[in-house]
Amino acid sequence: MSEEDELLTYTLLLGFLGLIASFLLYKHLSAPAPKAKSAVAKPAPKPKAEPKGPPATVFYGSQTGTSEGMATKFVREMKRHGFNAKLVDMEEFEMDGMENLEEEPYVVFFLATHGEGDPTDNAKAFYEWLKDKERQEGELSKLAYSVFGLGNTQYEEYNAMGRYFDTRLAELGAQRIGEYGEGDDDKDLSLIHISEPTRLLSISYAVFCLKKKKKKTTIQTQ
């Protein structure tokens, strides 16, 4: 085969391949686009209904997390028993305005004592507000409260914060629910997790459910 014949053959072959490529490209461009599958919107999960029982605010003053952990578990238990409970960092509540404290129907404090009888960092402002000389007798008369202190007997001022809050709230007219309770971090706190808070929960539940269910009786006269 001469060079001219080879060149002609290659030219025809390239032309043929070009036609095939053009045909395939045409079919691809002219083909209808595939229909997009309609996305079926999944229904949004229903938010978990909050308990409709007595409201309660559980504050924690914590330095290393122990007090916060106990308060968190206590809130979970309160909800399980029908309370509409919420967990609040004492520092965040102080920033919202301490004047709101008397509007809380029932509060529970889990208070750790830091160092030599000092409040934890997140409870300092709350503590200063309570001991302020501007506080008036009976100022918190509408408030019901419970206090659980966490300390360590290795320190001289054992559970100073828990004891102070319990006494000071009573001085300002607040109503104590149950007895003041406290735990020693130098001992096995797992027992405290079960005993004292559970006892407090039982007392709180009894008091507030009785208040909720109490009805006025009427005497009918003929």
Side-chain angles (χ1 to χ4, degrees):
M1 183 181 290
S2 64
E3 292 183 358
E4 291 182 357
D5 292 337
E6 288 183 359
L7 180 61
L8 179 61
T9 301
Y10 286 132
T11 302
L12 291 174
L13 181 60
L14 289 174
F16 179 69
L17 291 175
L19 288 174
I20 293 175
S22 300
F23 175 74
L24 293 175
L25 179 62
Y26 170 76
K27 286 196 66 175
H28 174 73
L29 295 177
S30 61
K35 294 183 179 180
K37 295 182 180 180
S38 56
V40 179
K42 295 183 179 179
K46 294 182 180 180
K48 191 175 181 180
E50 290 292 331
K52 297 181 180 180
T57 301
V58 179
F59 293 107
Y60 65 88
S62 186
Q63 195 71 26
T64 61
T66 304
S67 179
E68 180 182 358
M70 290 188 71
T72 301
K73 291 180 179 179
F74 190 72
V75 167
R76 193 157 51 237
E77 283 300 303
M78 291 193 86
K79 289 183 176 181
R80 195 168 68 87
H81 284 77
F83 279 89
N84 185 9
K86 61 181 177 180
L87 182 69
V88 178
D89 185 326
M90 294 177 73
E91 186 174 37
E92 292 180 2
F93 186 82
E94 184 274 331
M95 289 190 296
D96 291 338
M98 289 301 302
E99 64 275 5
N100 295 328
L101 182 61
E102 61 180 346
E103 299 177 6
E104 299 286 338
Y106 178 46
V107 296
V108 181
F109 291 92
F110 281 82
L111 292 161
T113 298
H114 181 56
E116 297 297 335
D118 299 320
T120 58
D121 290 341
N122 72 319
K124 284 181 179 178
F126 211 119
Y127 168 72
E128 294 294 335
W129 183 88
L130 275 183
K131 75 172 189 176
D132 195 307
K133 293 181 179 180
E134 293 185 1
R135 302 280 72 77
Q136 300 178 3
E137 184 178 350
E139 184 173 345
L140 299 178
S141 58
K142 297 180 181 179
L143 181 72
Y145 77 95
S146 300
V147 177
F148 187 85
L150 283 167
N152 191 307
T153 47
Q154 295 294 323
Y155 294 91
E156 185 176 349
E157 298 294 334
Y158 172 64
N159 260 317
M161 281 301 103
R163 295 173 182 181
Y164 176 80
F165 268 69
D166 179 62
T167 302
R168 184 57 173 158
L169 288 167
E171 290 175 351
L172 296 177
Q175 176 191 357
R176 183 187 292 111
I177 302 297
E179 298 178 0
Y180 164 71
E182 58 187 30
D184 183 4
D185 194 32
D186 193 43
K187 298 179 181 179
D188 187 3
L189 276 179
S190 62
L191 299 176
I192 304 297
H193 276 275
I194 298 171
S195 59
E196 288 289 346
T198 302
R199 181 180 61 82
L200 175 59
L201 177 61
S202 299
I203 295 171
S204 305
Y205 184 77
V207 170
F208 281 91
C209 283
L210 284 175
K211 284 184 178 181
K212 182 181 178 183
K213 294 178 181 179
K214 188 176 180 181
K215 296 181 180 179
K216 293 182 179 180
T217 56
T218 56
I219 301 176
Q220 295 182 352
T221 57
Q222 296 181 347

